[in-house]
Each structure stands twice: as structure tokens, then as C-alpha cells.
Amino acid sequence: MRAILYICHGSRVKKGQQAALAFIEKTMRTEAAPIQEACFLELADPSIAEGVACCIERGATEIVAIPFLLLRAGHANVDIPIELQGAMAKYPDIPVYYGDPIGVDERMVDVLIERLHQTTEIVPKDASILLIGRGSSDPATIDDFADIKRIFQEKTTLQNVSVGYLAACGPFFEEELERLLEQQPKNLYILPYLLFTGILMKTIERTLQKTKTTTAIHLCPALGYDPAIHAILNERANEAAERKRGLNVPHYA
């Protein structure tokens, strides 16, 4: 019997944990797998090991593990496979098929644009947009985010679009914010490419609160709940089940 294990990142912010679990619960209602569980990589419970154990206790004979993450990076490529490998050591006869994160998908850019229009119905063509990513030292993540920016510009026809990262790589959010404000745009829209409210959103909010400028700064909400993300997660689960790809843990891990 197949189980789907959704693996969220985790957050120190309780609201972020609750939002992730609530989202996964809605996704479970759209997926036909008989066993579905959610867990966290870090910072929250249940852990990956606890999620695996729960699937087995409920009768799973195979597990499809889906990283509920936006892009390819160290967590999806290394950290989660390592944790899964350790958890599955107790169950050598149970296969685990590992899926892809959400990745670059036009539907996610559509959600991003919806969040922009939640902040303002009409975005001035001369407005500056600052897309905010989590950041990663993995070059593939940087490439993915460049694709997201490109698709965003194609769909909106907005020209003044920049990127800033919160950690691990540049240009960093604070530096890019300062650079843009030096240009004194009339409107600056901060558009976080983050799933939920958490420490990173609070970091953005604190930075903006102490920023002194005559520019009108508009902070858009995080991506949050959207049916399109349910559809993508279901697709990733189906792809993983059909592909039957096992864990690829780097030899240096």
C-alpha cells in the first residue's frame, strides 16, 4: 500500500508551522493515496523519522517522499535524502521513492503575480519590483530563480525587476534594497518568493520598518495557500511513483 510523505522545511515561528500543515492537509484531500502524512526536516515536529514510522504503522508497503520546497537546493538534494536514508534503515524491505520539489513552474509565477495584485490592483509600469528569494549556495537554485524572474517579466511586461536573496548568496536583500532606493523610485514592491510567513518574512518586515525613504514601499504577502500548488504537489507525487527513483545521497554526506 502506497504512502505519500510530504516533507516541509520547518520554522521556529508557530504560525509558519501551522500554515504548512494546514496547506498539506488540503493537498491530502485532492490526492487519492490511501496513506498520507506530513513531517518536517527541522525546527518542528513530527520529524522525518517520525513521519516514516507513522506511514509504516498505518500499513505502507512503499513510500513516496515529496519535499515541500520551492526550488532545488541543499535541503532537497542532500539534507532530506540523508534523513530519509537514516529513517528507512529500520525498514530495509520498504522502498522509498523520492520526488522533486515544486521547481520552476509557470503556475507558481502566476501565484506570485496574484500576490502582487493583492497589494495593488494596478502596478505602475515604471514601478520597481524586488523579488526576494531564500538564497542558496547551489548554482542550480540561482539558475532557477533567474528563470522565475524571466517568466515574471514576460507575463507582466514590467521592466524594473531585480532579485535579492536573504542568505547564502548575493545580491543580498538589504544591499539590493539600498541600491534601488538610491534611484528614488516612486513605488517599490517587495515580492517574497517564500511559501509561508516565518522567520524570513519577519526579517524582511524588520528591515523595511527601519528603512527611511520617500519611496512608497509595498510589501506583498508570501505565496501561501493556492490550489495551483496542490496540483503541482500531486504531479510531483505521481511522477515520483511512476519513476520509482530511490534516494541519491551524495557520497560526501
Side-chain angles (χ1 to χ4, degrees):
M1 187 158 51
R2 176 174 298 160
I4 297 180
L5 180 62
Y6 301 94
I7 304 172
C8 309
H9 178 272
S11 172
R12 292 186 180 88
V13 178
K14 195 72 174 178
K15 187 177 179 181
Q17 298 173 21
Q18 293 169 342
L21 289 176
F23 192 99
I24 292 300
E25 286 173 3
K26 291 178 181 177
T27 300
M28 289 176 179
R29 298 183 201 132
T30 67
E31 170 60 53
I35 301 171
Q36 299 181 71
E37 294 290 340
C39 62
F40 294 95
L41 170 63
E42 58 185 6
L43 305 175
D45 294 321
S47 66
I48 290 176
E50 291 168 334
V52 166
C54 193
C55 290
I56 302 298
E57 289 168 7
R58 293 181 60 189
T61 56
E62 64 177 31
I63 296 175
V64 175
I66 302 300
F68 186 25
L69 302 172
L70 286 170
L71 298 171
R72 299 173 291 167
H75 285 324
N77 296 336
V78 179
D79 301 332
I80 291 176
I82 289 173
E83 292 296 320
L84 277 171
Q85 185 181 59
M88 296 306 299
K90 296 181 181 179
Y91 315 101
D93 297 328
I94 304 293
V96 57
Y97 305 128
Y98 189 50
D100 293 323
I102 291 170
V104 178
D105 191 296
E106 286 198 14
R107 290 168 291 182
M108 294 300 296
V109 179
D110 290 337
V111 176
L112 192 64
I113 294 169
E114 286 179 19
R115 298 300 171 262
L116 175 61
H117 287 294
Q118 276 182 238
T119 307
T120 180
E121 289 188 16
I122 300 175
V123 181
K125 286 299 180 183
D126 62 349
S128 291
I129 309 291
L130 180 52
L131 294 178
I132 304 298
R134 176 184 290 272
S136 171
S137 57
D138 189 333
T141 305
I142 309 304
D143 291 342
D144 286 348
F145 211 72
D147 284 340
I148 289 166
K149 175 190 172 185
R150 174 184 55 78
I151 297 168
F152 177 84
Q153 288 189 276
E154 289 173 354
K155 284 178 172 284
T156 62
T157 69
L158 293 168
Q159 297 301 312
N160 303 323
V161 181
S162 303
V163 168
Y165 296 102
L166 294 166
C169 63
F172 291 107
F173 162 55
E174 292 88 348
E175 296 171 352
E176 194 64 11
L177 175 65
E178 183 178 351
R179 185 188 71 80
L180 290 171
L181 291 178
E182 286 175 354
Q183 300 173 8
Q184 298 182 322
K186 185 177 293 185
N187 290 281
L188 173 59
Y189 294 87
I190 309 296
L191 195 50
Y193 197 70
L194 303 171
L195 277 170
F196 303 110
T197 298
I199 291 292
L200 297 180
M201 277 297 290
K202 290 186 177 297
T203 298
I204 295 172
E205 291 168 0
R206 284 195 298 268
T207 298
L208 296 181
Q209 285 168 1
K210 64 184 182 183
T211 298
K212 299 186 184 302
T213 179
T214 57
T215 294
I217 299 179
H218 312 272
L219 176 59
C220 303
L223 295 167
Y225 169 80
D226 194 277
I229 306 179
H230 293 320
I232 295 170
L233 288 176
N234 288 341
E235 288 174 14
R236 298 295 175 267
N238 292 334
E239 290 163 1
E242 292 173 6
R243 187 173 53 214
K244 296 187 182 300
R245 181 183 67 189
L247 296 173
N248 182 23
V249 179
H251 69 277
Y252 57 81

